[in-house]
Each structure stands twice: as structure tokens, then as C-alpha cells.
Amino acid sequence: MRDPAGWPVFRRCGRGEFGVARVVVLGAGIAGHTAALHLRRMLAKEHQVTVVSPNSKWNWIPSNIWVGVGRMTTDQVTFALAPVYRRQRIEFHQALATELHPEGSPSNNAPYVSVRYTDPKRAGETGEITYDYLINATGPKLNFAATPGLGPDANSVSVCTPDHAREAAERFAETVGKLKQGIRQRLVVGVGHGTCTCEGAAFEYCFNVEHELRMAGVRDLADVTYLTNEYELGDFGVGGMIFHQNGFETTSKLWTESLFRERGVKAIVQAHVESVEPGTIHYEQLDGSKNSLDFDFAMLLPPFRGADLKAFDSTGNEISSEVFAPSGFMKVDADYTERPYEQWSAQDWPNTYESAAYPNIFAVGIAFAPPHQISKPRQSPNGTLITPAPPRTGMPSGIMGKTAARTIADRIANGASASAHRASMATIGAGCVASSGMGLRNGTAAAMTMYPVVPDFKRFPGTGRSAIDTFGEIGLAGHWVKYMLHVMFIYKARALPGWYLIPE
Amino acid sequence: MDQAAADIKNAPLPTQRTLRLRQNLAFQLWRFIILNLRFAKIIAKGAK
């Protein structure tokens, strides 16, 4: 059933009679999986929830850091999705979405997604999955190709996936082995491109590596360097933070630099990695200088771009440029007008995550196109952009997924005109715990919260964020929090009893 | 020496007391409660 504007309507037609709605979620990461579980909980049984993901397993990505130093196995940070979805009555297709047909096609007048199966039992098969509402939570494409020589298939390692992290742990163990033989080693941890995001993850891995070297008794032979595209330490892709401590305002820059000094970690900032050769990183800095850094072990995160998904109209013409930004991320209800940094506003950021072109499509988590960076954009004299992309993982991802699910559930119950729920990154906060070590007493962490994620200088003149709710603290307690989050979120993602009581 | 290295060299170091408190079980148990309350507040604000 459709309303006069052509949108699907699933009104109660009479006692016990409903139109059947089909909601398809692309991606089973933090945002997509959260959305799917909440949709199944909120929607009546007759409505269908379908998840399409190329991966057979769910991964608690924050704990990949511990896999990357050999403190956890991949099995401790993943679980099979199919049994969870079977139990939750969610249809699961282990497949890669390749094409989006939001207007249908001459042979199929319902909106649909073309998929290619990655399920070993159906490998190579293709299919079409129709939908009434679609959530794009495809996450990032790990764009190692943007930097020649970057990545596990070339000259550096990564911790972006469990397999990458396991390989990183193996290479790290080899490096520790050489140190134990008395051979000096240089370990470089950071980001592999001027426009990378997730500097917090690189920072966390860097201090895990440093911690493990100390535990192994080889720290004095190791040179640990953090290589980042941040303008200054403590930026974390969010333009840095101001903390109140002991009656003073302090910056995340000073706070982070203190930790680097305490642990003897070197830092190279404002860097765009141009290429990675075996044993050598070539990078450009914001002043235009070109430099090289030799290494024995390098974990460099890749830049992200949107998944390889193309969109077509009802006649088969490609409309990807209307649906997606040039970065491949989906355009949503953000203000994408190009403006200088001084005119950026918290109001530029999306609230509902509805596609700009098709209101029955939503993009959440990393899949939505941000209107601009959060950190001030900077270019080298050579024209190279060296600025972190905005982070939109973890807590904000889960909130976005739930927000889209609530909107869709309302619209299925009350009609397509039901107003959308809102969760702008300029009105939600985030917590970040960068923890090193393992066990009750053998660990420490830098725990940070910020509110809001995107600074709002009208609400919070001066710093753009709440002084009370933006803080940082170092200690064992943060390490306990990180382990507690690991246990809680895997419990929640497994949809075990009471899972929905655990917040995003 | 580049600016980042100079900044790190001039950053304040924690005192021995601060380092001890960061690993003190009783104090950290208190901080664990505080951290959870702070996280809960951020979550509650986001859920509005």
C-alpha cells in the first residue's frame, strides 16, 4: 500500500490485519546490527527485517587493539551472526550489496538492492532483495590503495579487522623477538594518509605496543613513534578538547603530550603518508617538507571511503552522484553547502540520517557523508590536504542505528508522514577509552568523554563543548571500563536476555 | 628539534603521587564509579 506521494504505508487495516513491510539493513557492524536488533524488537512479527552483510561474523572492533598485540584471540572479539539472526527471526543474507535501485527497474517496480553472495554455500550467486525501507550501514571501504605500499598485502600492518589484527600481533611478536636478541627496532604506529580518521584507535594501539614492550623488558631497545595527520597531539579528529582539571582549564594537547613524555613515545604530527616501501615510510608534512622514516614494524590505519555501491533510477541510468558524495558515502539530511571553516556550524550536521534523495533510505555510522571535517582543514603548500576526517564510530554509530530504526518503526506503524527521530552528532556525546595492558591490576587507560561530538559554539561559547561533560582521566579505572564495555557490548550484540537494556 | 618534539619535551610530567593514585585499587574503584556515572550521563543526554 502506498500513499499519494508514492511512499509505502502500512496502516492498521482492521483488527489483526497489517500490510507487511520489509526493512533491509546493509551491513552488520555496530550501526547496522544495532538497527536490525531494535527493528526486530519494535516491529510486529509479520514485518520482515533482513540483514545483508558480506561478513559471517560480528566484530567488536574496539577490542581488535588487544588482538593486535596478542592479548586476545579473534574468537574473543567475534561471533557468528547467523545463529543470532535465526533466534531473532531476522533474515540474513551473507552477501555484498553491489547496486541500489531505489525506484525499482523496468522488470521490478519495487525498490531493491542487487547483491552478490559471499556465503560459501552460494558463492558467486547474485540476487535482488526488495525493500520498503533501507538502512545503509555498510561502514567503510578500507582504502589501502590510496597510499602505495600501505596495508597488510603490502608493507605495513593494520588492526581494522580481526584477521588484520592477528597478523599485526604475529609481526609484533617477531619484532619483540628481535629486541630480545638485542637488536634495536623502530616501531611506527599511526595513520597512513593525510585524510585518515580513527586517530584514537592508532593512539590506543601505540600505547598498547609501548606497554607490551615494557612488559617484555625490551623497552630500552625500542624506538616507538606515533605518526599522525593531526595538526597537534590530542586533536583526535574532533579539533581537540578542553578539560577542567584541578581548577584549571587544560587542553587535550597538553594532556596527551604529557603521556607521550611520560612513556618516552616520539611523535610526528601534520603528516600525510605518501608511500610505504619495505622498511621506509615517505611522508609530506604541512609545511610542504618531504621526509622519510625507517621502520622495522609499522601499523598504519588506512583512509576510509564509502562502500562500492552504485545507484540507478527506474530506467537504469546511474544516479550515484545524486545519492552518494564523491567519497562514496551516502548523502543524508546534512547541509553540504561548501563554506569556509569560519562559517561551519553545528547545524550543518544531519539529524535524521534520511537520504537526501529517497526518504525511505537511511545511512548511519560511517556510511553517511559528513558535511565537512570537525578539525580545522589545512593544506600543505603543495596542495595536499592534511586533516583528519571526522570520527563517527562506536557510541555515535549505535545511536544513529537505533534512531533510524525508531523512525522506520514509527512510519511502519503510523504512516510515512510520522516525524523522524533525531540524533545529530552536534547533540550527542561520545566516550573514548584508550586502554593498554590486560587484567585487573596490569593495565591503564586514558578515558575521555566529550559532549557534544561536534562543537556547538552557540550553545557552548568559547570551547564549543560542555565543560562539565568533556573530560579526560588516566588510570586503572578506565582500563576496567574498557574491559566492561567489551563484555557488555558483546553480550548486547549476541541479543542475550535483556540486551536492549544496555544503552548504545 | 621539530615543534611536536619540543612540545612533548616541555609537557608536564605526573608526580609520583599521581602515578601511585593511577594504580591504587581503592582510589581507582572510586574513579571507576565516577567514570561510569560520567558515561551514563553522556548516554542519557544522547538518548533525549
Side-chain angles (χ1 to χ4, degrees):
Chain A
M1 188 191 308
R2 290 179 179 268
D3 70 11
W7 295 111
V9 179
F10 307 95
R11 293 186 192 285
R12 185 188 291 269
C13 301
R15 189 176 174 81
E17 291 178 39
F18 288 80
V20 174
R22 186 171 201 183
V23 186
V24 173
V25 181
L26 303 181
I30 292 176
H33 188 65
T34 301
L37 290 182
H38 279 295
L39 277 164
R40 185 66 282 166
R41 185 176 66 88
M42 291 186 277
L43 289 174
K45 277 183 190 173
E46 55 268 39
H47 299 306
Q48 216 171 1
V49 179
T50 301
V51 172
V52 177
S53 170
N55 302 315
S56 63
K57 292 183 175 179
W58 188 84
N59 173 213
W60 177 238
I61 294 170
S63 294
N64 286 358
I65 299 294
W66 285 331
V67 177
V69 290
R71 287 289 172 181
M72 275 192 181
T73 64
T74 55
D75 287 345
Q76 287 175 282
V77 299
T78 58
F79 63 80
L81 285 164
V84 175
Y85 287 149
R86 205 163 34 242
R87 181 160 41 83
Q88 291 294 308
R89 302 182 317 281
I90 293 171
E91 190 178 299
F92 178 49
H93 294 258
Q94 191 189 329
L96 181 72
T98 55
E99 292 179 3
L100 184 57
H101 295 265
E103 300 169 7
S105 67
S107 59
N108 183 354
N109 62 7
Y112 69 93
V113 181
S114 299
V115 301
R116 189 177 65 246
Y117 285 88
T118 54
D119 182 342
K121 292 176 189 162
R122 304 181 67 179
E125 277 183 44
T126 57
E128 293 177 0
I129 300 173
T130 58
Y131 66 83
D132 296 297
Y133 288 97
L134 179 81
I135 297 180
N136 173 13
T138 43
K141 176 183 177 183
L142 304 177
N143 193 16
F144 290 108
T147 304
L150 182 70
D153 295 332
N155 304 317
S156 61
V157 296
S158 146
V159 291
C160 291
T161 71
D163 287 339
H164 287 179
R166 184 179 55 206
E167 190 183 332
E170 290 166 4
R171 300 276 287 275
F172 177 60
E174 288 169 15
T175 305
V176 172
K178 286 180 184 167
L179 286 162
K180 284 184 173 172
Q181 293 169 28
I183 306 168
R184 292 196 72 86
Q185 299 281 287
R186 175 177 282 155
L187 299 92
V188 181
V189 177
V191 298
H193 193 274
T195 61
C196 280
T197 183
C198 286
E199 287 75 14
F203 167 82
E204 182 175 18
Y205 188 71
C206 183
F207 281 89
N208 268 274
V209 161
E210 195 277 334
H211 176 88
E212 293 300 329
L213 293 172
R214 272 192 289 122
M215 291 296 106
V218 293
R219 181 66 182 89
D220 54 333
L221 284 171
D223 180 298
V224 182
T225 301
Y226 178 65
L227 178 66
T228 182
N229 57 350
E230 294 158 278
Y231 182 71
E232 55 193 22
L233 292 178
D235 181 282
F236 296 120
V238 294
M241 291 162 275
I242 305 281
F243 301 145
H244 282 211
Q245 280 187 336
N246 302 323
F248 287 86
E249 278 189 351
T250 188
T251 61
S252 53
K253 174 180 183 287
L254 192 68
W255 190 78
T256 310
E257 285 167 353
S258 171
L259 194 61
F260 274 72
R261 183 178 173 198
E262 182 197 332
R263 302 294 168 86
V265 177
K266 295 174 183 169
I268 297 169
V269 299
Q270 305 172 10
H272 160 70
V273 174
E274 292 184 314
S275 64
V276 184
E277 290 178 4
T280 307
I281 297 166
H282 300 284
Y283 63 95
E284 177 187 350
Q285 283 186 286
L286 209 50
D287 61 6
S289 62
K290 308 253 180 169
N291 306 289
S292 296
L293 182 67
D294 292 338
F295 69 88
D296 300 291
F297 172 90
M299 196 299 287
L300 298 173
L301 297 177
F304 293 166
R305 62 169 288 114
D308 291 327
L309 187 59
K310 291 181 177 173
F312 298 88
D313 69 11
S314 58
T315 58
N317 291 322
E318 187 171 349
I319 52 168
S320 299
S321 61
E322 292 171 37
V323 177
F324 300 103
S327 57
F329 299 117
M330 186 174 267
K331 290 193 272 191
V332 291
D333 63 315
D335 183 346
Y336 294 105
T337 311
E338 282 194 29
R339 295 190 185 90
Y341 172 75
E342 291 70 24
Q343 293 175 25
W344 287 0
S345 157
Q347 282 65 49
D348 299 342
W349 287 76
N351 289 288
T352 66
Y353 304 96
E354 289 173 290
S355 158
Y358 298 95
N360 62 335
I361 300 177
F362 296 76
V364 294
I366 293 175
F368 87 84
H372 43 65
Q373 297 93 338
I374 300 173
S375 302
K376 185 175 182 178
R378 294 176 171 92
Q379 282 191 350
S380 75
N382 307 318
T384 308
L385 180 66
I386 306 179
T387 302
R392 45 208 190 277
T393 52
M395 187 189 282
S397 274
I399 293 172
M400 288 176 218
K402 185 177 181 182
T403 300
R406 290 171 73 193
T407 300
I408 291 169
D410 278 1
R411 289 184 177 173
I412 289 171
N414 303 315
S417 59
S419 56
H421 291 265
R422 300 161 73 89
S424 165
M425 281 176 62
T427 59
I428 60 177
C432 175
V433 184
S435 171
S436 62
M438 185 58 71
L440 184 66
R441 301 200 64 163
N442 183 20
T444 190
M448 292 166 267
T449 64
M450 71 186 95
Y451 180 84
V453 178
V454 174
D456 185 340
F457 292 96
K458 286 184 183 161
R459 272 179 81 195
F460 305 105
T463 67
R465 295 196 177 97
S466 161
I468 296 168
D469 297 319
T470 303
F471 91 110
E473 180 168 323
I474 296 170
L476 192 55
H479 174 65
W480 296 342
V481 169
K482 168 102 186 199
Y483 190 74
M484 182 187 75
L485 294 176
H486 167 89
V487 173
M488 273 173 49
F489 280 107
I490 289 179
Y491 182 94
K492 178 185 170 87
R494 284 180 186 272
L496 294 171
W499 66 267
Y500 50 85
L501 299 174
I502 298 171
E504 272 58 52
Chain B
M1 186 184 291
D2 66 19
Q3 190 57 46
D7 289 347
I8 290 170
K9 191 182 172 195
N10 294 323
L13 278 174
T15 61
Q16 284 302 314
R17 180 174 177 274
T18 299
L19 289 174
R20 275 198 305 275
L21 282 176
R22 284 180 183 175
Q23 297 297 317
N24 179 284
L25 282 184
F27 183 71
Q28 289 301 315
L29 188 60
W30 164 245
R31 297 312 303 169
F32 179 72
I33 294 165
I34 297 296
L35 276 175
N36 278 298
L37 290 173
R38 282 186 175 274
F39 272 67
K41 189 178 172 193
I42 292 285
I43 291 162
K45 281 189 160 191
K48 275 181 188 172

